[in-house]
Amino acid sequence: MPRYWLSFLCLFAASLACALAVTPLARKFAIRVGAVDYPNKRRVNKTPIPRMGGIAIFAGIVAAFVVQYIGTTYFGWPVVLVPSPRLTVNYWMLVLAFVIIFTTGMLDDKFTLTPRAKLLGQVLAATVAAMGGLVIGVIANPFAPGEFIELGWLTYPVTIIYLVAYVNIINLIDGLDGLAAGISCIASVTMFVLSIWAGRLDAAALACAIAGSTLGFLHYNFHPASIFMGDSGSLTLGFALGTISLLSVTRIAGLTTIIVPLVIAGIPIIDTFSAIVRRTRAHVSVGRADRGHIHHRLLAEGFDQKQAVLVVYAWTALLCAGALVMTQVTTIPRICIFLVLLVASGAFANHLHLFEPVLRHHKDPRTGDDELVGPDDPAFAEESEKARERREERREELLGIRTESKDRGEKHQ
């Protein structure tokens, strides 16, 4: 067995063991500082659960790289922190970026930061990573083989937006016991394989660390969970997966190398996109929390927590398998696979009614106040019917305009 396979196994084992050992300590610490999720209308948990599991996940990542350092220094392991020939990465800047994103999550777990403050921490971490060289500066032109699109000054904004988006899609999917950790574990294993195929040992090492730490954390986080990862975990995992994807694609990114990480994170992306559509249709703030996410819909379909999580695991595994195949076939089959995955995922999302609003504005007839009502409120059905009637009226108006235009055209002839 090549030495780097042994090193990767050791990284995985170190992060797994560390997460298993640290999670109970993280649970005690969360209880001591009052970082606890209490049941409410939006949450699924029925009992108070501490939420600083991200400490164990972050500790697992640190443990993996301590083991890598020891192995490289004293046992002759291959050096993994070597960037692509086209990419100049300052790994200490990446370390700082991880510390910033983890600290942001920790502060949110303890103090519940405002959305603006939390976004500021995410942008700061992404900016530090980009300043450290983790950027996509050139994209291969898919319509002109051999030609490239220089992003120029857009390099940094595009990279920052990409990383912040990855952070938030993992954060938003964290709604059931073991859901975000399991998805991240499956995604990291897939990214590990892709990184090995691409010869990107730095990305593969980080993927190993994420796989081990999430699997160890799942021992305590799978239903019935004794601890949640909190934002300290979800923000760190999202940032780590985004980092792996950028380390893998190198400075010149082809269309496939950009799309594949998005396919791997397909479930969180669909969930986030549908939330935006759902809330826009209901004329409520995009940042307004609701119970219309994938896990809420699966529970409404009659699945229990374990079954719902396993369904999403299977869906994620299917997308990841498709992503792996996409990298090994020619252009036409690659497009076909992508379209099949897109259509199948869209059909399933539509079946779950992910794009249907679960909040409606309602004017209280007694007070005249505008309030938001959910499906449990009788006024929700009333407002939904009004919305349907308004859509029908608009459709008829559009059809009427088209009919009149057609009639005028026939008379003109």
Side-chain angles (χ1 to χ4, degrees), residues 233-301:
S234 60
L235 299 189
T236 301
L237 286 177
F239 192 80
L241 292 173
T243 297
I244 295 168
S245 68
L246 289 182
L247 288 173
S248 295
V249 301
T250 74
R251 192 174 181 84
I252 295 181
L255 186 61
T256 301
T257 53
I258 292 175
I259 289 177
V260 164
L262 302 181
V263 173
I264 293 170
I267 302 301
I269 290 173
I270 290 169
D271 196 45
T272 302
F273 175 70
S274 63
I276 293 171
V277 173
R278 183 171 65 245
R279 294 164 191 172
T280 301
R281 289 182 62 188
H283 304 288
V284 300
S285 169
V286 171
R288 180 85 186 202
D290 63 28
R291 292 181 60 85
H293 292 283
I294 289 173
H295 49 278
H296 294 127
R297 297 299 199 180
L298 287 170
L299 293 176
E301 288 280 318

Side-chain angles (χ1 to χ4, degrees), residues 341-401:
L341 293 175
L342 182 64
V343 171
S345 295
F348 192 46
N350 186 62
H351 171 74
L352 293 177
H353 307 290
L354 290 181
F355 301 98
E356 292 296 322
V358 291
L359 290 174
R360 294 284 189 185
H361 282 280
H362 174 69
K363 187 174 183 179
D364 191 313
R366 294 172 299 172
T367 64
D369 294 337
D370 182 44
E371 58 185 9
L372 290 175
V373 295
D376 296 335
D377 193 309
F380 181 82
E382 177 187 337
E383 296 299 334
S384 296
E385 180 60 24
K386 289 180 181 178
R388 187 192 66 79
E389 291 174 355
R390 286 194 294 269
R391 288 197 302 272
E392 285 295 320
E393 289 175 1
R394 285 196 295 268
R395 189 177 68 85
E396 289 174 1
E397 288 174 3
L398 288 172
L399 288 175
I401 292 172

Side-chain angles (χ1 to χ4, degrees), residues 6 9 95 132 157 162 271 317 370 388 413:
L6 175 61
L9 284 174
V95 169
Y162 179 87
D271 196 45
D370 182 44
R388 187 192 66 79
Q413 291 175 353

Side-chain angles (χ1 to χ4, degrees), residues 39 78 128 159 206 253 331 348 368 371 377:
V128 170
T159 302
L206 181 54
T331 302
F348 192 46
E371 58 185 9
D377 193 309

Side-chain angles (χ1 to χ4, degrees), residues 150-173:
E150 295 277 354
L151 294 182
W153 66 270
L154 288 174
T155 295
Y156 289 98
V158 167
T159 302
I160 291 167
I161 291 170
Y162 179 87
L163 284 173
V164 170
Y166 234 107
V167 166
N168 282 287
I169 60 176
I170 299 299
N171 186 34
L172 287 174
I173 200 68

